Amino acid sequence: MEKKKKPEIRFRGFSEDWEQRKLGSVGTTYAGLSGKTKEDFGHGNGQFVTYMNVFSNPVGSPDMTEAVEIDDSQNKVLFGDVLFTTSSETPDEVGMSSVWLENTENTYLNSFCFGYRPTVEFNPYYLAYMLRSSSMRKKITFLAQGISRYNISKSQIMNIEIPIPNIDEQKQIGSYFHHLDHLITLHQRKLEKLQNFKKSMLEKMFPQNDSKTPQIRFKGFTNDWEQRKFNEIGIVIDPHPSHRAPKEVENGIPFIGIGDVDEMGNINKQSARLVSESIYDEHRRRYDLSIPSLGLGRVASLGKVIRLRSDIEKYTVSPTLSVLQFAQSINIDYTYAYMNSPGFKKQFESKSNGSTRQSVGTETVRILDLSIPNSMDEQQKIGTFFINLDHLITLHQRKLEKLQN
């Protein structure tokens, strides 16, 4: 079967076939640091590119280097060099490549990698992303050898054929993927900032360490908060007194566990098991999900809270959960946010028991303490604040996933 010499999608103005050349015919290799001891590292005016830098980045990061003494007998890494890992614990992670695009002096390569220096003109960004493409990764993975640890030799990698368009097309492709990577990095940073902001607000907007007021609150609210137990403000339902999971069926009702629901209460139908509709009818006599409810993980994912919604479809829940339903004077969005705060998590974890599988009993859940503002308006403002924050985080997660896909 003749190899394809053109990509499926390409930029306008390019139509000629791509050349196929072995890596070894368009570049030379060199070894990483050798003959070093532990005492040689951690100091000095030189630097070396770490294994994880090569493994993690199509384009090497200048921030992921470590100090080493200058040694002119060692090979130095130059701008445009490609760095390859030679071993890993899985075949899918062998031969990862990274292009070095820094003009730094006295830079070396760690001893678990080797360097490659092109002898013909390449656009470095094209080289970086082409070598990380799925087709190239398949070729490299196919050559990985080993049992407990997988290896690939320089000669094997040098024998791999790579596709080479003309330099102008390389520049277009390299620039495109470089820009895409930049966008992904920006969205990752935005997402991390939002997640860190949420973490901070979960600490500061709820009382900590027996305090009766939070560090941060909305204007107009000054009263102390109350501390109430679950069974004083609602009911805690054990969905399965037998604590046995029902038999799985091919066609039926979703039987959800703590890992089958996202933060917005959406069920992942692909991961949820299915049980017969009779199980749903039986459980419906014990709890009514048309009443706003939360699920609390008592066994698996200890302390994780999920929204149990009645507006999506019929479903029943796992015996590893407690179903929580609250009085009308308690805002469920507030309660959901509070149960994700560090103070509540710490309290819940302190009640767990079991040596190999930690768990918390239903009776213990009933007497857990909750800090609650007297004002329903304050509860609602806090609940809405965290709902909006979760929506924003979800939007950024989806944008990031789209860019990565």
Side-chain angles (χ1 to χ4, degrees), residues 161-181:
E161 283 194 343
I162 62 168
I164 308 175
N166 71 47
I167 194 66
D168 291 329
E169 191 169 5
Q170 285 184 40
K171 286 175 183 175
Q172 290 260 36
I173 294 168
S175 175
Y176 176 81
F177 281 104
H178 179 49
H179 176 65
L180 200 52
D181 251 3

Side-chain angles (χ1 to χ4, degrees), residues 240 242-256 272-280 282-283 316-319:
H240 302 270
S242 68
H243 294 162
R244 290 179 183 172
K247 184 181 177 182
E248 189 172 359
V249 298
E250 195 168 325
N251 296 298
I253 304 299
F255 175 79
I256 66 159
R273 298 171 61 222
L274 299 178
V275 298
S276 71
E277 192 151 354
S278 63
I279 299 293
Y280 168 78
E282 177 193 326
H283 293 170
T316 184
V317 300
S318 162

Side-chain angles (χ1 to χ4, degrees), residues 9 14 38 50 58 88 116-117 138 141 172 178 201 205 208 223 248 272 325 353 370 394:
I9 297 174
F14 302 104
K38 286 182 182 178
T50 65
S88 187
Y116 172 80
R117 188 163 295 154
K138 281 178 187 174
T141 299
Q172 290 260 36
H178 179 49
M201 290 299 101
M205 290 182 72
Q208 302 289 328
N223 291 340
E248 189 172 359
Q325 297 180 331
N353 55 62
L370 281 84
T394 301

